Amino acid sequence: MRLAGQYSREMSVFENKVVVITGAGSGIGRALAVQFAEAGARLALSDINELALAETVKQLPSGTDARTYIVNVADRSDVFSHADAVQRDFGTAHYVINNAGATVVGTVANTDIEEYEWQLNINLYGVLYGTKAFLPMLLQQREGCIVNISSIFGLLSYPCQSAYNMSKFAVRGLTECLWQELKGTGVRAVCVHPGGIRTNI
């Protein structure tokens, strides 16, 4: 995955901007961390896996201004504390990428309610918590962008992916509502629907 329209460091719109990425320990989150670092951004990287997060940091260009945070996006207090920590460490945030995710594979008949709850807490509530935790500082500065990672499965349903489909359709609905509400504020909301990506999922 590459950022659209690669800029030189001199022209980069991300130069010195604070980019928050959840799920930065692997997959899309790791790839974005490397590319934003190449574009001169300052990075607030979080994941539930400390070792995976450390591996991401090793792949960043020398001199990257990056801090790491162990965050469980399914825990509301954890995410709001994370936003406070980012504001303390960086002063603000400019781009918030709610990327952390997981999946449960199984038919509706054979998927337990607890498995649905576990998955929705990460993929749906994790996105909502990240949005709510960082949105006030973006609105206050009248600048910023919330990027919510949905999926092609947020556009169409697929058998044995009901929990994942539910979460990604909901992320789409949340983001499309948000981008309309944010008109004129200086803050944007973007929903991304990746197709087949080679990740841990």
Side-chain angles (χ1 to χ4, degrees):
M1 175 179 273
R2 302 298 296 177
L3 297 173
Q6 292 292 291
Y7 296 92
S8 70
R9 284 296 293 270
E10 292 75 19
M11 297 173 58
S12 174
V13 297
F14 302 112
E15 187 79 37
N16 293 320
K17 297 296 185 181
V18 178
V19 179
V20 178
I21 307 174
T22 67
S26 63
I28 292 173
R30 175 177 290 172
L32 288 175
V34 171
Q35 290 171 53
F36 275 116
E38 291 172 349
R42 305 168 67 203
L43 303 179
L45 307 176
S46 71
D47 202 280
I48 200 169
N49 186 327
E50 186 172 8
L51 293 178
L53 204 52
E55 184 59 36
T56 295
V57 171
K58 289 180 184 178
Q59 297 184 28
L60 301 179
S62 177
T64 299
D65 183 1
R67 291 177 182 260
T68 59
Y69 307 83
I70 307 305
V71 178
N72 176 8
V73 298
D75 184 321
R76 180 171 62 183
S77 63
D78 219 16
V79 177
F80 276 77
S81 294
H82 176 48
D84 291 339
V86 170
Q87 191 166 37
R88 178 197 67 219
D89 295 339
F90 290 94
T92 191
H94 299 98
Y95 296 86
V96 178
I97 303 178
N98 291 308
N99 166 73
T103 192
V104 172
V105 179
T107 64
V108 174
N110 292 298
T111 302
D112 294 335
I113 292 295
E114 290 77 13
E115 291 175 307
Y116 280 103
E117 291 174 340
W118 174 82
Q119 203 271 341
L120 291 170
N121 282 339
I122 297 169
N123 285 20
L124 173 54
Y125 282 99
V127 170
L128 177 62
Y129 297 156
T131 298
K132 290 287 288 181
F134 285 94
L135 186 57
M137 70 179 82
L138 304 186
L139 288 172
Q140 183 176 26
Q141 67 197 14
R142 298 187 63 81
E143 177 191 2
C145 184
I146 293 174
V147 181
N148 293 333
I149 306 298
S150 178
S151 167
I152 191 67
F153 288 172
L155 299 172
L156 56 89
S157 292
Y158 196 80
C160 297
Q161 289 285 346
S162 59
Y164 193 76
N165 281 137
M166 288 169 63
S167 67
K168 296 304 186 178
F169 269 78
V171 166
R172 174 188 172 193
L174 169 66
T175 312
E176 290 185 5
C177 182
L178 189 60
W179 81 44
Q180 296 174 78
E181 294 176 355
L182 292 174
K183 287 180 180 178
T185 67
V187 180
R188 295 179 298 134
V190 176
C191 195
V192 182
H193 298 277
I197 305 292
R198 186 177 299 164
T199 70
N200 291 350
I201 291 180

